[in-house]
Amino acid sequence: MDIPTEEGKKRYPPDGIYKGDFFDDSENNFWEVCTCKPECPDPCKGLCGCKACHANYMDFLSME
């Protein structure tokens, strides 16, 4: 399991975890840990390997 980086905690306060739009603490919902580094672009689309930013970007695209 990945651990949020300090940068990840800045991008997804307070714990560095991105929770999907329908997150309600049930086991059927997903969450992803942000592993970004300070040199990652902001906003990050997950190209650095960060699953949280990739999920966030995919959620953004699905809203269009």
Side-chain angles (χ1 to χ4, degrees), residues 12 15-26 28-33 51-60 62-63:
Y12 299 96
D15 53 10
I17 296 174
Y18 173 73
K19 298 170 178 86
D21 290 334
F22 305 105
F23 191 84
D24 63 7
D25 289 331
S26 77
N28 296 326
N29 293 297
F30 74 92
W31 55 271
E32 295 289 356
V33 173
K51 293 177 183 177
C53 290
H54 178 74
N56 187 10
Y57 185 60
M58 292 294 109
D59 283 350
F60 168 75
S62 70
M63 290 183 196

Side-chain angles (χ1 to χ4, degrees), residues 36-54:
C36 280
K37 296 179 175 120
E39 57 270 13
C40 290
D42 191 9
C44 177
K45 298 177 183 176
L47 297 176
C48 65
C50 176
K51 293 177 183 177
C53 290
H54 178 74

